[in-house]
Amino acid sequence: MGERFAGRYELVDPIARGGAGAVWRAWDHRRQRYIAAKVLRQTDATALLRFVREQALRIDHPHVLAPASWAADDDKVLFTMDLMRGGSLAHVIGDYGPLPSHFVGTLLDQLLAGLAAVHAEGVVHRDIKPANILLQATGTGRPHLRLSDFGLALRKGEPRLTETDYFLGTPGFVAPEQRLGAEPDFPADLYGVGLVALYLLVGEKPDAEALTTEFAHGTPGAPPGVPAPLWEVVAGLIQPDPQARFRTATGARKALLAAVELLPGADPDEDPVEIFDQLGALPRGCTPSGPQPTPAPPAPSGPQPTPDPPAPSGPQPTPDPPAPSGPQPTPDPPTPSGPQPTPVPPPSATHASASQAAARQGTPAERSAARDAGRPQGPPAKITAPVLLLALICFAVGFWALTQT
């Protein structure tokens, strides 16, 4: 149905696009299930190196969506991961705006748990934002998120692919020290978690530069609608000074769990947040059990007319006309051009047989006459005499001419 990589991964339909490539829903023919495949075109060496770094990550955690395998075909490479149907946190905020504090507490706890597993591998994510935090389609049940997109991730101590004066990340979610060119470190990721938490609580993207100005004069008060216990945790994540910030994801998670215990109970009249299936129906030709082969057209029933053979190319010989049926008159032979000699008729069979019979009977004189009668007759005497005379004259003239030389 679609393009296949390494004889195993069949692309079905695109579900997201980014600067480095596109994410497709794909069918894994070996594992017999749908997966997500991130396809990257080999545009330059830097992009390819980032791809190699990303696909090399193997972090097994329920709240981390790391690459599982990879394949290459011509000028494109891909790696695969589990398929997340619930979209991202950006979709949830777009659907509901500010989220209930207990719901936000559950999401932050899962995010910090996944980030702690990433940091335990010595990896700095460097791009924490709502669009990179994906959800399962759990409906109104307990949400389940996974941290994804390690395209900018870097192990501590590895060489950077950018110059010191430049930074990578999404504007609005980058820590202040990263904007100044500092080396990537774990507290920079925690700053991104704090901005995501504030985004979930207020329903609007925070202004990172304005927050830096506000924190210059001490920790500001909680924004409207944000419970104080949660704000203390969030404020500890978004401190502009990395030394005043939480140092580890595990420490921040412990503080969060303590803050959630202080929150008032959930409002029973509050509408639950539902995580919808954002992928929609499978495209035509695909079923939950995988892409279906295109069926062959049914064979027509009954006798079918034999198609005319294709006309041969080039000049063709003219076919002979069909032979007419029945006896045909013998065509006259062609008349030769110029004067023709008069044919001498052959002696008749009756005349020859009579001459032969006479030659066998009678007297010797009669038998001689009969034989003469059977022979052909010479020219008449009135023709022979002039011809002989002319021949004698020619002979005499020729003899005279010879004697004169």
Side-chain angles (χ1 to χ4, degrees):
M1 177 181 177
E3 186 176 3
R4 186 179 293 197
F5 283 74
R8 175 178 176 180
Y9 305 113
E10 184 173 352
L11 302 184
V12 175
D13 59 337
I15 55 179
R17 296 189 181 276
V23 179
W24 289 70
R25 173 164 42 185
W27 177 256
D28 186 343
H29 284 268
R30 182 181 301 175
R31 301 169 68 187
Q32 292 293 297
R33 68 186 185 111
Y34 285 102
I35 58 171
K38 185 174 183 179
V39 182
L40 171 72
R41 294 188 178 275
Q42 300 179 18
T43 54
D44 54 60
T46 301
L48 186 57
L49 182 56
R50 293 192 191 283
F51 174 88
V52 171
R53 283 182 172 179
E54 183 172 5
Q55 67 83 25
L57 288 174
R58 295 293 183 269
I59 302 175
D60 186 14
H61 191 274
H63 297 298
V64 176
L65 188 62
S69 61
W70 71 279
D73 188 7
D74 294 334
D75 65 333
K76 291 180 288 188
V77 291
L78 65 76
F79 61 78
T80 67
M81 54 199 136
D82 293 337
L83 185 63
M84 304 290 286
R85 296 180 171 275
S88 69
L89 286 183
H91 290 100
V92 180
I93 298 171
D95 291 338
Y96 291 96
L99 301 176
S101 56
H102 280 277
F103 193 86
V104 173
T106 300
L107 295 176
L108 288 181
D109 178 60
Q110 296 179 6
L111 178 57
L112 288 169
L115 189 59
V118 173
H119 289 173
E121 296 293 329
V123 175
V124 183
H125 189 280
R126 298 206 295 172
D127 200 17
I128 305 291
K129 61 181 180 180
N132 287 341
I133 302 169
L134 305 182
L135 296 159
Q136 295 282 12
T138 54
T140 57
R142 179 180 174 85
H144 186 99
L145 65 73
R146 298 178 75 175
L147 178 61
S148 71
D149 199 341
F150 290 81
L152 301 182
L154 181 69
R155 291 186 184 274
K156 292 190 65 174
E158 284 186 342
R160 299 171 60 176
L161 300 181
T162 54
E163 298 179 16
T164 305
D165 294 337
Y166 292 87
F167 70 90
L168 291 176
T170 301
F173 292 93
V174 179
E177 68 271 18
Q178 293 297 299
R179 294 198 297 267
L180 297 176
E183 288 295 319
D185 202 353
F186 301 145
D189 283 346
L190 295 175
Y191 184 88
V193 172
L195 291 180
V196 169
L198 190 57
Y199 196 0
L200 297 176
L201 290 168
V202 301
E204 295 179 356
K205 181 179 178 179
D207 187 341
E209 293 185 2
L211 286 172
T212 301
T213 302
E214 292 179 16
F215 273 87
H217 307 288
T219 302
V226 178
L230 272 184
W231 173 245
E232 290 181 8
V233 176
V234 172
L237 290 168
I238 60 176
Q239 288 287 340
D241 182 3
Q243 300 300 322
R245 204 178 300 153
F246 282 107
R247 300 298 299 169
T248 66
T250 301
R253 188 183 180 200
K254 290 179 179 179
L256 174 67
L257 292 177
V260 171
E261 295 291 333
L262 300 177
L263 294 177
D267 186 354
D269 296 331
E270 192 174 51
D271 292 334
V273 177
E274 182 175 0
I275 308 300
F276 302 98
D277 187 339
Q278 300 287 343
L279 295 185
L282 288 166
R284 193 175 194 179
C286 291
T287 66
S289 58
Q292 301 300 307
T294 303
S301 59
Q304 302 299 316
T306 303
D308 296 334
S313 60
Q316 303 300 315
T318 304
D320 295 333
S325 60
Q328 302 299 318
T330 304
D332 295 334
T335 303
S337 61
Q340 303 298 319
T342 303
V344 179
S348 63
T350 305
H351 179 76
S353 50
S355 300
Q356 294 170 1
R360 290 192 297 270
Q361 298 177 3
T363 64
E366 291 174 344
R367 288 196 298 269
S368 178
R371 285 193 299 270
D372 294 338
R375 294 192 185 101
Q377 300 297 318
K382 62 180 180 180
I383 296 177
T384 305
V387 171
L388 291 175
L389 180 59
L390 179 61
L392 289 173
I393 294 172
C394 290
F395 178 79
V397 172
F399 183 79
W400 176 82
L402 290 173
T403 59
Q404 296 299 315
T405 59

